[in-house]
Structure formats: structure tokens, C-alpha cells
Amino acid sequence: MKAIKICTIAVLLLSLGACKKSFLDTEPITTVTDVNFYKTPKDAYTALVGCYDGLQVVWSEGVALPVAAEVMSDNAFGGAGNSDGFNYQMIDEFDKARSPSDQNLYERNWVLYYKALYRCNMLISKMDQIEWGTDATLRNRYESEARFLRAYLLFDMVRLWGNIPLLTEPSAENLPQSNPDEVYKVIAGDLKFAADNMPATGYAAQPVTERGRVTKYAAEALLGRVFLFYTGYYAKGDLVGLVSKNEALTYMEDVITNGGYGLVEDFAKLWPAASVGSYAGEDNKETVFAIKYTYTSDYNGNTDGNHWMVMVSMREQAIFPYGNGWGGQTVSPKLWSAYAATDTRKSASIISIVDEKLPFTNQGKTREYTGYWGKKYSVMIGEDGKPLPESYGNSNFQIAQFQDYVSIRYADVLLMAAELGSANAQSYFNMVRQRAYKEAFTPLTVSADNIIKERRLELALEGIRYYDLLRQGIDKAAQQIAETTTVLNGGAPAQKSIAAANVIATKGLQQIPYTQINLSNGTLVQNPGW
């Protein structure tokens, strides 16, 4: 069972608008409104659960960001079925001509992000209305969690679309897109508030029943990620005047010194499919923040499973321990070749059909087949050949996968601290590499270039590489992503081409759903290149 069960009552509570009172000014008895609901800490907790639920479902439909980010990077191709549409190729090649009818790929994601944002904004706006009594600590904690979740959502949105309407309070207004700096001011302000106001409860001290909830250290770690992306992509010296490089480093050092986290000794044990029978488990000491999933998803509104794992898994064939999926993220041979033979992360991160001697026979059904699939988030089957959710009584393998998405790992924090110029940079860098190479470890001098290369190897297929590329500058990222190679489409050799000019033309951003542009009566403007 998961540490936190995301309930659905908050969906009802937070979807109801304020009702008009009658002329008698009587308060509704059976109707929950934003006026009569947000009164007690218990109400606030229920609403907070709704905020977590909002984050949990943003990738349940449309295109999941962890998948899109790898497809857009130099780690993976669009893949999918050979008879499918070309929507994933459009994402991969930054070229709307590849699938011109796909104008709303991210429509559901756009809607779900704003619904989740609405919940966070509603709770934050009601903090003064709730009767907290003398427990200021509880108020600060709930507000910090809600503001972290809002920052997380906005950071996803601004990186994906670049130019978004900024909502910081519940609203139905048709707002124009904001300057990204305004969005980043909210993100930075929210994360600073959370980092500075949450109790300093480290990993070991956090109750097992609260694993999955935001902590002070998760806020500090995310602030480091935001700082590095913003200052890199926008070529700025600090984070919108709110966080300097030294301050960002101080937050990272606090996570390392006081957070109680550590590296799981064997890299493969971080990933279920790489460590059958010896998985370190969810919420292990390396997990700083994860989006929680469980196996009870159904098609009747209970949306708490990992719906996107099936998209990255082997196309329509299961071979123990790897399950059947839709193959929408074929791994580039360049990524496989980037690892040294002695790097244990190589086989723990990537399924190699040839090296593992797997009898994969569905090349004819696969587009952009390379012989490599992602292992970290591969769906799995048991030795009986059945999808793992079936052992919990759920036969909906497409939506009932329950592996958490580990958004921030301790290894990432170590590498961010090294990049930010820690006095311990070489030590932090060595820690990550020593685990990867074990007895074959040889020292490598820490440098900006070596850190970026190491991040690719350490964090491959976790939805991070693309944004590490973008923050090196769009021209440099485009050259790294650009490629002309040969893949197999339906079992036959075919040329695959990604043009640097397309990446540059789009500034690395994705398409705003045209439905939203139409609904806004032209208030929203499409991103360049789309």
C-alpha cells in the first residue's frame, strides 16, 4: 500500500463554485461551497489531499512530461506502433508538418494542469479563513505544501509551453500569457516560502505514513533545479532577483547535510525492473520527492495509477520481467554507447534486446525500433506472465501501473551542489561515480562539462536530460539533439532525421493546444514554430 492514499472527495469539494445565497442569507446545509467548507484544519487537510491528487493526474491523459522530455532529448526517439499516427514523431522532430492534424496533443494536460493549479490557488487563498487556533506551525506546513505543489505545476508548464496565463488565485478570467519572469517569480517565491517555513524533518524522522508528502528538503532541492534551468535557459545571473547562486547552493548543502538522505548502494536496486527480488522499495533513502501512484485506477473516475509507464515499454510483447507496452520511447543507441562497459547504470537503465538475449519478435509492429527500451520505468510481469497489477486484482494493466515517479533523487542533489560550486564538489561528484563503477571506479576531475555528462548517465530516462540540454543554450541543445540515423520501421531500415533548425525555431517549447487558443478568442498566441 502507498504511504498516502489520494482520496477523491476533494475533487468534488474543489470543483464546486460558491453558491449564491438566498434572500434570507441562509447558509447551505448539504452543499459544500468555498465559503462554508474552508473552516477547520481538517477541511484544509482534505483540500490539501485534493492538491496532491491534482498533481497525480496531470499525466493521466495526453502526453506525460517524463515521456515527452526524453523523446525531445537525445536519449530517445518517438517510436510507438508502425501503423500509428505520427504524433510522437512530431514531438521528437519539433516539426508540425510530421502530423499537421495533431493540433491538440497536450490539450488534456493543459486542462489538468490548470485544474490542479486551481485547487492549490483555492487552498492558498483560504488560509486566513480557516480557524487555525494557536497552531501556526500547522498552517505554515499546509500552506508550504500547497505552494510547493503550485510551484511544481507552474515549473512543468512554463518549461513545456514557455508562455502561459499565470493564475495565482481562483479565476475564470480569459487571461493573456504572462512574461516567463512573472511565472518564475511565483515559483521562486513559493519554494522559498516552503523551504523557510516547513519543519526540518529529515528522511529518517519522517513517519512512514507521511512518505510522499512535501518536505523542507524537497522544496530546497526543487529550488536548485529551478535556479539552474532558469539561469541557463534565459542566460540570467540569478533567479528573478529572489535567489542568488550562493543562496541556491546553500539550499543544496542543507539537503545534503541535514536531510538524512543517502545513495542506495546498488544503482540497479532503485528500479523494480532492474532488480527483480532485490528492489530497494519506494520511499527509499534516495527519494527526495516522488509523485505517488497506486494500483486501484479504473475507468470510473478513480485515477490514481501511473498511466504513462505503458507508453515507454516494449511494443506489444512481454518477456519476463518486462511487460507489454506501446513502445513510445525507443532508446537511442547513442545513449547506450555513452556508457562505459564498466558502468553499472548501463544495464540498469536500458533494456538491450541483444545483450540480454531477449526473444523480441515484434520489430514489424514497431516504429523507430533501435533494439533498446527504457528499463527504469518499464512495466513488469510476474513469472506467471501476468501484469503486476493483476496480483492486486486489477486487470487494467494500461492504467493500473503503480511505480512512483521519483522526481528528485539525492544523486541529483549532489550533482546540482557540485555544479553550483560547492567546496565539496569533487567529493559529491565522486560519490555518484563510485556507486556507478564500484571496483572499476577511476577518478575524474569535476568540471561543468563532466557534470553535465555525468547527469546524462545518472539521470537517463527520468525526464531530466532535455532540460539539462536546454539550459546549456538553445543553439548548443539543438546541435546535440539533431541527428540523422537509421532505424527500423515495421522491420525495414528507414532514415530518421531531426533538424537543429526546428529545435531552434521552436525555442525548445511545445505546441499550445489550438483548442485553447480558439476558446480564448485569440487572447492566447501560439508558440513560434508551431
Side-chain angles (χ1 to χ4, degrees):
M1 289 293 291
K2 298 291 180 183
I4 289 183
K5 170 64 176 165
I6 301 295
C7 66
T8 57
I9 186 171
V11 177
L12 171 63
L13 295 171
L14 297 178
S15 65
L16 293 171
C19 299
K20 291 183 178 179
K21 295 184 180 182
S22 72
F23 69 97
L24 293 175
D25 200 31
T26 57
E27 184 171 351
I29 301 300
T30 60
T31 301
V32 174
T33 74
D34 66 335
V35 175
N36 70 6
F37 174 68
Y38 294 90
K39 287 187 173 181
T40 68
K42 183 179 179 181
D43 294 340
Y45 179 78
T46 300
L48 180 61
V49 170
C51 296
Y52 279 98
D53 178 72
L55 174 59
Q56 185 188 60
V57 304
V58 291
W59 304 326
S60 60
E61 301 176 66
V63 182
L65 187 58
V67 182
E70 291 301 327
V71 169
M72 290 186 288
S73 79
D74 55 349
N75 282 348
F77 300 129
N82 194 50
S83 59
D84 289 346
F86 291 90
N87 49 3
Y88 269 65
Q89 282 63 49
M90 183 174 76
I91 294 172
D92 189 16
E93 298 167 25
F94 298 82
D95 184 1
K96 66 179 181 180
R98 288 291 268 137
S99 191
S101 63
D102 276 309
Q103 298 188 348
N104 295 292
L105 272 181
Y106 296 96
E107 166 71 12
R108 288 304 299 159
N109 305 107
W110 180 281
V111 170
L112 291 169
Y113 270 113
Y114 273 104
K115 282 187 175 181
L117 201 57
Y118 177 88
R119 297 180 186 188
C120 296
N121 285 336
M122 178 65 81
L123 176 55
I124 294 166
S125 73
K126 298 298 180 181
M127 284 292 163
D128 289 336
Q129 179 177 306
I130 296 165
E131 298 165 1
W132 296 100
T134 58
D135 198 347
T137 301
L138 188 63
R139 170 184 171 145
N140 282 344
R141 181 181 182 185
Y142 285 9
E143 183 173 353
S144 294
E145 289 181 79
R147 291 181 67 168
F148 172 96
L149 295 171
R150 179 169 71 178
Y152 191 105
L153 294 162
L154 287 172
F155 188 44
D156 272 8
M157 296 163 73
V158 75
R159 285 183 300 165
L160 189 59
W161 295 300
N163 306 287
I164 60 172
L166 175 60
L167 275 73
T168 56
E169 57 186 27
S171 173
E173 288 186 65
N174 185 16
L175 298 177
Q177 288 138 301
S178 297
N179 184 302
D181 276 6
E182 296 305 311
V183 179
Y184 277 98
K185 285 178 183 177
V186 175
I187 294 171
D190 281 349
L191 292 177
K192 279 176 60 68
F193 181 92
D196 297 343
N197 286 278
M198 292 201 76
T201 303
Y203 171 77
Q206 187 180 28
V208 173
T209 54
E210 293 190 359
R211 295 282 162 81
R213 290 182 70 172
V214 174
T215 65
K216 169 187 180 67
Y217 303 109
E220 291 179 334
L222 184 56
L223 196 50
R225 181 177 292 175
V226 172
F227 178 91
L228 286 169
F229 180 78
Y230 175 85
T231 55
Y233 183 73
Y234 295 100
K236 300 290 182 70
D238 61 25
L239 179 55
V240 290
L242 294 179
V243 181
S244 68
K245 184 177 181 179
N246 284 339
E247 288 171 327
L249 175 59
T250 298
Y251 282 125
M252 296 304 96
E253 298 284 21
D254 190 40
V255 178
I256 294 168
T257 303
N258 300 310
Y261 302 99
L263 297 177
V264 169
E265 288 72 15
D266 185 343
F267 183 84
K269 291 183 179 180
L270 289 168
W271 317 107
S275 58
V276 179
S278 60
Y279 173 43
E282 295 174 351
D283 309 312
N284 59 66
K285 64 181 180 179
E286 194 160 336
T287 301
V288 179
F289 181 70
I291 297 178
K292 308 291 289 181
Y293 296 107
T294 190
Y295 49 80
T296 55
S297 260
D298 56 38
Y299 291 108
N300 298 312
N302 188 15
T303 312
D304 50 18
N306 186 325
H307 291 203
W308 55 267
M309 279 179 63
V310 71
M311 195 64 209
V312 307
S313 300
M314 291 194 303
R315 181 75 192 189
E316 295 187 63
Q317 187 172 347
I319 306 171
F320 178 79
Y322 314 121
N324 165 57
W326 306 133
Q329 183 186 287
T330 56
V331 174
S332 171
K334 288 200 308 183
L335 177 60
W336 177 261
S337 299
Y339 289 94
T342 53
D343 192 335
T344 61
R345 296 170 298 193
K346 185 173 191 173
S347 60
S349 302
I350 302 170
I351 300 168
S352 171
I353 298 300
V354 171
D355 292 87
E356 297 185 36
K357 297 180 174 60
L358 300 176
F360 184 77
T361 58
N362 264 358
Q363 292 91 335
K365 294 184 178 181
T366 307
R367 181 179 294 146
E368 298 182 358
Y369 178 73
T370 62
Y372 302 105
W373 306 99
K375 187 177 290 189
K376 290 179 176 178
Y377 288 101
S378 172
V379 300
M380 295 176 66
I381 57 171
E383 292 187 82
D384 58 2
K386 295 180 179 179
L388 292 191
E390 285 196 21
S391 63
Y392 294 96
N394 194 334
S395 60
N396 296 323
F397 82 96
Q398 293 190 69
I399 62 173
Q401 301 299 327
F402 51 89
Q403 184 179 334
D404 293 346
Y405 173 58
V406 183
S407 175
I408 307 174
R409 289 197 285 118
Y410 183 63
D412 189 2
V413 175
L414 291 172
L415 292 174
M416 286 193 289
E419 187 173 349
L420 286 165
S422 170
N424 300 312
Q426 186 68 59
S427 175
Y428 296 158
F429 189 60
N430 288 348
M431 289 168 64
V432 173
R433 297 187 69 252
Q434 282 173 326
R435 175 178 64 176
Y437 291 95
K438 297 186 179 297
E439 293 80 8
F441 168 77
T442 55
L444 178 66
T445 302
V446 67
S447 68
D449 285 345
N450 285 339
I451 290 171
I452 289 295
K453 290 175 182 177
E454 199 63 36
R455 287 180 62 82
R456 184 188 192 189
L457 302 175
E458 176 69 25
L459 304 169
L461 308 175
E462 297 178 44
I464 292 172
R465 170 65 173 175
Y466 179 62
Y467 295 108
D468 277 351
L469 287 173
L470 282 190
R471 64 187 180 84
Q472 305 308 303
I474 189 65
D475 290 342
K476 185 174 181 179
Q479 293 301 323
Q480 186 71 36
I481 294 167
E483 182 172 6
T484 297
T485 188
T486 300
V487 294
L488 294 181
N489 287 348
Q495 181 174 290
K496 168 72 175 179
S497 182
I498 303 173
N502 289 348
V503 183
I504 294 170
T506 62
K507 299 181 181 179
L509 303 175
Q510 282 290 297
Q511 179 191 75
I512 294 172
Y514 275 89
T515 298
Q516 295 299 319
I517 293 173
N518 293 336
L519 287 172
S520 76
N521 293 319
T523 299
L524 299 183
V525 178
Q526 185 57 270
N527 282 326
W530 294 106

